[in-house]
Amino acid sequence: LEAIDMITPFRSALYMTQAAVVETPDLIVIVDPCWLPDEVASIHQYVAALAADKPRYLLFTHSDFDHIIGYGAFAHESVNASVQACSAVQVISSQRMADKSASEQEAILEQIREFDDRYYIERDYPIMYPSVTIPVAQNGQQLAVGGTTLTFYLAPGHTDDGLMTIVEHICDSSNESIGVLIAGDYLSDVEFPYIYHSSEAYLNTLVQATRILEQHTITMLLPGHGNITCDHVEMRSRISNSEQYIHALRAEAAQNMNTANNEQWEEFLVNSRFPRHMRHYHEENQSLVAREQHPSRS
Ligand SMILES: [Zn+2]
């Protein structure tokens, strides 16, 4: 078994969003099933055809609406847990995501309804906020089944409720370890950091990602948007690119520069993958970091 055999990626046509099903001899992990009805249905069909005797986990990397939009298609399986014990699905997220207040949850669900209305999308499952059965509260918390271990790290910064998960499997025959790092909306090769929560927390999460690469056997990185990579040089450069971007944002805000026509940023944005759209996220980042550093002015 190699990392590439362990994972079946389902890339959405939208925003290169990267759902996936990770299967080891011991368990199945369904990651952020999304976006469009046909895409969610194909993930659901794929999972339904897998061995029924393995424990199943539905993993949410964070609560952004695009990542939880498919939950309702899998929710009935957790409700029917007592009837069909073997196909019961446990739902994993950070404690913070599980603890979102009713109004926070409602705001996220409203974004889904808004999206579906805008594109006249009908779904054959209800729009629901994930009902979490395994909330992760501790860094390094683990869940072990047979030769497979899931290790969780809280990953705030993009949002306040991010979770990085490592699925490691030790092969019986070779005794070799393989591991997939499920990063959520970090370490993308397509998006620069989108900072909705805190630039400081984001930087700390990147430091933690470096530590994860050192302390775990990571043979594959699965980002929430963009391309999977098995190359450690690439993984490290994604971390340092993100760090450089955030340091530049923070330096700019600290120096209080007027950046409306900053040439360096212009070049950066023009060379980004989807400049017309990504410009907006960059500008939002600039205002968030400015607010962080000059709270009295907001
Ligand atoms: Zn996302």
Side-chain angles (χ1 to χ4, degrees):
L1 191 75
E2 291 182 48
I4 204 86
D5 305 319
M6 208 159 92
I7 189 162
T8 306
F10 290 87
R11 181 196 278 205
S12 173
L14 299 174
Y15 299 99
M16 297 184 174
T17 313
Q18 193 64 79
V21 178
V22 183
E23 185 183 15
T24 77
D26 309 296
L27 52 75
I28 294 163
V29 184
I30 307 152
V31 184
D32 291 351
C34 64
W35 265 84
L36 298 168
D38 289 355
E39 295 173 341
V40 173
S42 67
I43 299 169
H44 192 265
Q45 278 162 24
Y46 178 84
V47 171
L50 295 177
D53 57 346
K54 290 184 188 177
R56 291 167 184 225
Y57 302 91
L58 187 53
L59 170 69
F60 291 103
T61 59
H62 60 302
S63 66
D64 274 352
F65 87 95
D66 51 327
H67 294 259
I68 68 160
I69 197 165
Y71 168 68
F74 295 85
H76 66 281
E77 276 147 65
S78 51
V79 172
N80 288 343
S82 54
V83 186
Q84 295 172 287
C86 51
S87 68
V89 175
Q90 298 283 340
V91 180
I92 304 171
S93 82
S94 70
Q95 180 88 55
R96 178 71 191 94
M97 174 170 161
D99 287 349
K100 291 266 171 188
S101 69
S103 66
E104 285 174 311
Q105 293 184 17
E106 182 54 27
I108 295 165
L109 297 179
E110 192 57 22
Q111 286 182 284
I112 297 177
R113 296 184 200 111
E114 153 86 26
F115 171 82
D116 284 354
D117 279 11
R118 179 181 303 174
Y119 296 105
Y120 300 177
I121 289 173
E122 294 184 318
R123 300 181 188 269
D124 59 4
Y125 59 85
I127 299 303
M128 302 159 74
Y129 191 84
S131 172
V132 177
T133 58
I134 305 179
V136 175
Q138 302 277 335
N139 257 339
Q141 191 171 320
Q142 290 189 319
L143 191 162
V145 183
T148 304
T149 305
L150 310 192
T151 308
F152 304 103
Y153 293 91
L154 302 175
H158 167 63
T159 59
D160 62 357
D161 62 0
L163 185 68
M164 286 194 187
T165 302
I166 298 119
V167 184
E168 274 170 303
H169 176 72
I170 300 173
C171 264
D172 290 337
S173 49
S174 64
N175 219 21
E176 272 178 55
S177 177
I178 54 175
V180 176
L181 170 56
I182 301 165
D185 281 5
Y186 298 93
L187 312 187
S188 171
D189 60 333
V190 175
E191 291 179 345
F192 50 82
Y194 291 2
I195 312 164
Y196 308 156
H197 169 232
S198 153
S199 66
E200 192 183 347
Y202 203 119
L203 286 171
N204 290 336
T205 289
L206 292 170
V207 169
Q208 180 173 262
T210 304
R211 227 179 287 131
I212 288 171
L213 292 186
E214 288 161 1
Q215 293 174 356
H216 293 266
T217 308
I218 304 297
T219 42
M220 179 185 277
L221 163 66
L222 177 84
H225 301 267
N227 294 294
I228 288 171
T229 181
C230 297
D231 177 1
H232 263 249
V233 175
E234 163 79 16
M235 293 176 202
R236 282 169 203 284
S237 86
R238 290 189 192 187
I239 293 173
S240 60
N241 289 345
S242 295
E243 286 173 337
Q244 280 168 27
Y245 173 81
I246 297 172
H247 285 309
L249 276 181
R250 287 165 64 99
E252 173 189 84
Q255 290 164 28
N256 207 7
M257 296 185 309
N258 178 0
T259 56
N261 287 305
N262 185 300
E263 266 176 46
Q264 264 177 319
W265 283 132
E266 254 339 283
E267 194 188 331
F268 172 79
L269 287 171
V270 166
N271 291 319
S272 69
R273 185 66 188 82
F274 300 99
R276 289 162 198 79
H277 183 71
M278 289 182 153
R279 175 179 300 274
H280 162 76
Y281 286 93
H282 174 66
E283 289 168 359
E284 292 287 307
N285 285 341
Q286 284 179 312
S287 9
L288 179 134
V289 171
R291 284 197 306 277
E292 287 176 341
Q293 302 202 3
H294 310 285
S296 57
R297 268 181 246 166
S298 53

